[in-house]
Amino acid sequence: MSKNKKEEIKVHNISNTRLFQLIDGEEKMVGNTKDVMKSWDILSKGNNYHTIGIIGCQSSGKSTILNLLFGTNFPVMDETQGLNQTTQGIWMGKSESSDTLVLDVEGTDSSERGEDHIKFERKSSLFCLAIAEILIVNLWETDIGRYDAANYGLLKTVFEVNLELFTTEQSRTLICFLVRDFTGTVEFPLLKKKILDNINLIWDQIQKPEQFKDSKIEQFFDLQFFNLVHKILQPKKFNKGVKQIKDFFLDKNNTFYLFKPEYHRQIPSDGLPDYLQNIWDTILTNKALDIPTQKEMLSLFRCDEIKNECFKEFETLLLERIVEPLQKDKILPELGRLMNKLFNEIIEEYKIPANRYVQEVSKQKQEELEEKMNEELFKQFTYQMKNVCKNFFKKFQKKFEKEFKDNEISLEFAKKINQLKMVIYEEFGNISNDSLLPNSSWDIEQFTLELENLIDNYIHEQKNQALKRIKKKLYDDYVNRITPELDNLLGFIENQIQFKVKGLFTSMTKYTIFEFEKYLKGMEATEEQMNDTINQFYEKAKQVVIDKFKENARFIGIHMKERFDEKFKYGENHTPRDFTIVSDLPQLFETATNEGINLLNLLKSIYLPKSLMNPEGRNNNLNLDEEEEVIENEENELEKEAEEDEEHVIIDDKEYEIQIKLYKKDIEMSYREAMSIQQSN
Ligand code: GDP
Ligand code: MG
């Protein structure tokens, strides 16, 4: 048989008897109160349960009447055994037909116990008063008026104890005087008066704390009086009386229903087992029994337990509803709503039992629970947001690749990127906000920054690559446009070549720079980037011209000779010269020689504007409205800029000397030939 089954049977037996010994004869709390109350189905009742206790002399029929009124089964003294004590310690029973807990206490005149007995009486009275809403004082008619009877001593204890217990929080208790073996010899109203007189006498005599010095008994207790005839002698009448009193306790609709709300101790039933234990421990250690503090301690203990139970439940549901789906799908579009639902569910679950306890305490524990859940939920939120960032970055990359397919160069690079970003950030904002736990202090800033960072780095990289492509394209265009023009100029070199090259170079670079500006503006390049890019280009653009001239200079000897020949060997209309009719050959030779040297001089250096494209000039160019004006002013500008022209040596001095020497050698032959033709004539 499993352990559980065994326990089940044990509890079942207890619930059958609806009886259990709470505190034994050794003043020890015995048994598992929680299990018993659970089997009685009391734990879930909140404040919807009642408590009642009884005091009175040994063998005065207390257990008997409790059993008759509440259907409990407290042990009753067997008539054959005489006056032996039956009920040891404190017993608890459950009413047969209602959620009423009944406390039955050991008799009060036990001769065996002596001093200890008085102490136990005080302890059990404290215990009953801390719990019971109604206290039945069971007494014989014959004892009424006997001030020294055990009952009155007991009452004295009850009153004193009550003042000890409830000094700060006013809680009323109902005392029901139940007169047994009522004969009717003395009218009941008269008996009532006698009891009251005695009570007032006791009240006057007890030691009262300063603040209650002049208090009346009614301030603390409601009093009720009942009687019952002799059980054996008048059984019928006795039973009728029992039935009547039973209704006062059990029938909520009875006009004299006795369990009034103000008597309730307001200990939620699920906290009752701990409360009983606490109270008894405090009583045993002889500490002052401060009920409000006890209640607070209980609240602290129970609310903490409820909090932990709720958190466990939360963890299970979190795993099931959020953690696992999130691991699988990476992003839950309605994470915020899911979290909120779970959060509220758990808080509701907490509130139902916890709100029955001291408000401040239950609130404090609720806040702790909220904080713990918040922490766990935030972890999931962070996990999701990391995925959201990754996801949206990928989305952005895809959109970017689609927009700039085949590395297409766009004049609206930045504009298009900004549009893509706007779409992405709006969507990102929506899903991020839907991921937040409502009413929390969380925000998405950190993750927005994270995404921005990813995207901005990516754009930066893409921009650099696009810039490289633009640089290459515009440079190639420039080279393609200027090369044939330069070839043209160098094909037949005129005296104005310097001026023409400069003009060509200026207009071509201006055009390209204007293109650069358009693209870079479209890219939202910085001023610095703009200057750097254009300056780089400008230097390269100069180099193209210089290189072309240098390439040309490699054949300078041939060109010089051609120039010479043209002048020397050919006459007007390109006809070969007849040297026989040349009158001044040395003069002709000198003129022709100078033609070649002139060419060498023309190509020795070229002069290009050092920094034609200063930023101000560029800005002017950008202003399309003023374009005409710019062209008009171009000549003036050229003049102005001439001062800043930079010399680029194509043929250095050494090379110049070599070329002259070679040239002279080369043309010497022509002179000699011409002379020999003349002489042969
Ligand atoms: P307890 O010690 O106060 O719990 O008393 P019990 O309920 O055990 O009863 C003690 C004895 O009194 C038993 O023998 C009962 O049968 C008897 N008894 C019960 N009720 C009455 C009653 O109303 N009148 C009289 N005279 N005896 C009673
Ligand atoms: Mg008894």
Side-chain angles (χ1 to χ4, degrees), residues 63 86-87 104:
S63 301
T86 32
T87 310
D104 191 12

Side-chain angles (χ1 to χ4, degrees), residues 59-73:
S59 296
S60 58
K62 296 189 299 295
S63 301
T64 307
I65 194 65
L66 289 179
N67 290 344
L68 288 169
L69 289 174
F70 299 103
T72 47
N73 32 37

Side-chain angles (χ1 to χ4, degrees), residues 427-442:
E427 247 184 272
F428 174 80
N430 286 342
I431 193 161
S432 303
N433 286 323
D434 287 346
S435 304
L436 285 169
L437 178 67
N439 306 320
S440 66
S441 60
W442 308 353

Side-chain angles (χ1 to χ4, degrees), residues 57-64 75-79 86-87 104 180-181 229-232 238:
C57 295
Q58 168 72 28
S59 296
S60 58
K62 296 189 299 295
S63 301
T64 307
V76 173
M77 194 195 73
D78 189 340
E79 268 143 78
T86 32
T87 310
D104 191 12
R180 306 291 290 272
D181 290 1
V229 297
H230 198 292
K231 182 177 176 267
I232 320 267
F238 177 85

